[in-house]
């Protein structure tokens, strides 16, 4: 999951966070083919509803403009050359800490810096781009009972650890080997009381033996505990399901078979962390930032800029490396530019338009947190401009409306929430994001192409998905609110989100419900935004509804775990269950689905959980959508990554 931090979707969302999630999303694809969308032909770029293009046919042989968009003609540089520039209006959510970064823009950076045991290769074929291959592990095996995974760590990887203010190397780990114990440390950190609410420990508590009890105890530590106190907990509480027979072998024992476990291990939450990471309290300003991938951080000024430069240890078992292409111990990462500059300071309201203008003028290379503004999509919908790309993410829901179920409002009553399900004009929301060529209305938890989707299921139907104010009013009256009530919407102030707020305000208003706005300009998915660490904090948070986004953390026929549990499982509050929805029936169905012996049985349980959630109406689904990106004409080899909802930055070279 990934949550969607602003315009680009998640994790994390959001994002985000990939998402969620992720961005869920960021997310990772189940081994094998991605799930299908509709039967619309992917070879027809002028389809009247390209939002339903079948992602299993998404490759350069059937989508002519996709090959043009990659524009990989010519020879890649042999040494890193040029500066790739991006600009936008918001910061990453987790200070580039892989155990806490859960939005899609954060994943864009982590993909250049951090490696997971298994990963996804850059490819213009959607199926290949969402199929797992070895990464930091040279090989992995699984026992016949599906309970034990053994990963062999590649030799030659070394840590680059830098000061984010100066780019200077930080001892003692800078230049030291990456070991199997470092991957254990990464998993242990995921349950840190500061990191856990921003990450997604539930993937691991539900699969790795002994991880749940370890995590429960770790998360229960006071957030004020020192780094030494946190490290002492880790030392005194080994996880039974994690062992390291030697520095190059990691053995993971599961509590029950999980066919999607490799996808879970491909998330950055399971990335390695150097030993010295335990010397710091996470999310503290000035903490060193580490990398075992092709780039390292030279500068990170929160809310201002991120500057990445080549990691000198990437590809060099001793000394340093200045080459651009991937090396034998890194099968899926590359390095073609000498610097990546990310400007985060643009004004939120006009960022998407400003970025679009600069890219078309050739003064900027790529978007950061925005996508192509809706005002520009009409002129790009025929795909005659090879610098425009429009990419599928089957199973996303972006944005969607969440009800705060702890605040003392009528929203605690299920009949009120069911009434409001009829209020939203989803066709109007689609127009904000460029219309039905790029968006498809959603009326359930899962979108087309995701596990658990129920064809034809629409529990709160309205004509043409345009809302039904009369029905909403009638149901509110029956629920005891004939004169409506007043609630607060915490909405983002950048990109399309003010327009989303205005449409929600209008649609709820037509039902007699008054909506006041609470704009959030920075840190939407953090504790300064909608993230709360307890039910009491959520009750007094000052928001009653909000509109996040969600991208599956992986795609394919077994991706439901990366959607429904993150958003509606009781165990994911605090976390990406933003409104603290809790329902025993839903929780039971989640457990049955996650432990089902066959995919068919799991899908049946996910469909039942889908219906159980919609009956309780803890959220209002709006739409699924394509991700619309623009690149400068000087950008070459722009290969879309569905988990970051961005091009793979490490694969780009410049004219």
């Amino acid at each position: 999951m990934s949550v969607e931090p602003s315009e680009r979707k998640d994790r994390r969302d959001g994002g985000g966070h990939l998402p969620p999630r992720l961005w869920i999303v960021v997310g990772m694809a189940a081994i094998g083919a991605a799930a299908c969308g509709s039967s619309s032909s992917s070879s027809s770029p002028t389809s009247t509803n390209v939002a339903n293009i079948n992602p299993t046919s998404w490759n350069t042989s059937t989508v002519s403009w996709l090959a043009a968009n990659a524009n990989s003609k010519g020879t890649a540089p042999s040494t890193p050359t040029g500066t790739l520039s991006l600009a936008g209006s918001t910061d990453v959510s987790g200070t580039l800490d892989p155990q806490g970064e859960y939005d899609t823009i954060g994943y864009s950076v982590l993909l250049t810096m951090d490696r997971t045991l298994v990963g996804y290769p850059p490819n213009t074929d959607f199926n290949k781009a969402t199929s797992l291959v070895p990464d930091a592990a040279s090989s992995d095996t699984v026992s016949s009972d599906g309970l034990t995974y053994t990963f062999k760590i590649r030799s030659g990887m070394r840590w680059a650890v830098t000061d984010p203010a100066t780019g200077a190397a930080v001892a003692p780990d800078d230049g030291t080997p990456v070991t199997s114990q470092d991957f254990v440390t990464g998993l242990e950190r995921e349950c840190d009381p500061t990191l856990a609410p921003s990450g997604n420990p539930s993937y691991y508590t539900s699969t790795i033996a002994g991880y749940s009890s370890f995590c429960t105890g770790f998360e229960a530590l006071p957030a004020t505990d020192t780094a030494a106190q946190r490290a002492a907990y880790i030392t005194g509480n080994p996880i039974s399901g994690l062992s390291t027979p030697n520095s190059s072998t990691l053995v993971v024992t599961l509590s029950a078979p999980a066919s999607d476990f490799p996808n879970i291990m491909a998330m950055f939450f399971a990335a390695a962390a150097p030993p010295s990471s335990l010397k710091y309290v996470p999310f503290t300003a000035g903490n060193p930032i580490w990398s075992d991938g092709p780039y390292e951080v030279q500068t990170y000024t929160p809310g201002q800029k991120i500057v990445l430069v080549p990691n000198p240890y990437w590809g060099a078992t001793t000394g340093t490396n200045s080459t651009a292409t991937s090396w034998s111990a890194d099968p899926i990462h590359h390095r073609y530019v000498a610097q990546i500059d990310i400007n985060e300071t643009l004004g939120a309201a006009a960022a998407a338009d400003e970025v679009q203008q600069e890219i078309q003028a050739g003064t900027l290379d790529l978007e950061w947190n925005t996508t192509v503004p809706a005002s520009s999509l009409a002129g790009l919908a025929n795909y005659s401009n090879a610098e425009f790309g429009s990419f599928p993410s089957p199973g996303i829901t972006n944005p969607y409306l969440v009800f705060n179920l702890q605040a003392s409002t009528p929203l605690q009553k299920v009949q009120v929430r069911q009434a409001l399900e009829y209020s939203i004009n989803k066709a109007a929301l689609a127009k904000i994001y460029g219309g039905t060529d790029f968006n498809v209305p959603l009326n359930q938890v899962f979108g087309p192409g995701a596990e658990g989707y129920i064809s034809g299921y629409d529990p709160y139907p309205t004509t043409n998905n345009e809302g039904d104010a009369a029905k909403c009013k009638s149901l509110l009256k029956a629920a005891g609110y004939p004169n409506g009530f007043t609630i607060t919407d915490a909405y983002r102030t950048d990109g399309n989100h003010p327009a989303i707020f205005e449409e929600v305000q209008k649609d709820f208003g037509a039902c007699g419900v008054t909506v006041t706005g609470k704009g959030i300009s920075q840190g939407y998915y953090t504790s300064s935004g909608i993230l709360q660490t307890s039910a009491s904090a959520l009750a007094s948070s000052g928001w009653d509804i909000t509109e996040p986004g969600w991208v599956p953390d992986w795609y394919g026929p077994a991706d439901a775990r990366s959607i429904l549990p993150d958003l509606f499982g009781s165990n994911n509050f605090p976390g990406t269950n933003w409104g603290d929805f809790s329902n025993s029936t839903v929780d039971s169905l989640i457990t049955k689905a996650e432990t089902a012996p066959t995919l068919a049985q799991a899908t049946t349980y996910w469909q039942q959980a889908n219906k159980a959630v919609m009956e309780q109406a803890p959220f209002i689904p709006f739409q699924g959508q394509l991700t619309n990106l623009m690149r400068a004409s000087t950008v070459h080899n722009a290969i879309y990554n569905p988990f970051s909802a961005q091009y793979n930055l490490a694969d780009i070279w410049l004219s």
Side-chain angles (χ1 to χ4, degrees), residues 99 117 153 157-159 173 176-189 244 246-247 249-250 269-277 290 292:
Q99 272 74 53
L117 294 167
I153 311 302
M157 293 190 297
R158 290 193 287 162
W159 286 116
D173 292 329
T176 62
V178 178
T179 69
S180 55
Q181 179 57 45
D182 295 340
F183 283 92
V184 173
T185 299
L187 285 165
E188 291 169 334
R189 292 182 76 250
T244 53
N246 53 59
S247 63
T249 305
L250 171 65
F269 303 137
S276 61
S277 62
W290 54 86
D292 56 2

Side-chain angles (χ1 to χ4, degrees), residues 249-274:
T249 305
L250 171 65
V251 179
V252 184
T253 303
L254 307 189
S255 53
S259 60
D260 54 4
F261 183 68
N263 304 100
I264 294 170
M265 293 300 285
M267 302 193 68
F268 286 113
F269 303 137

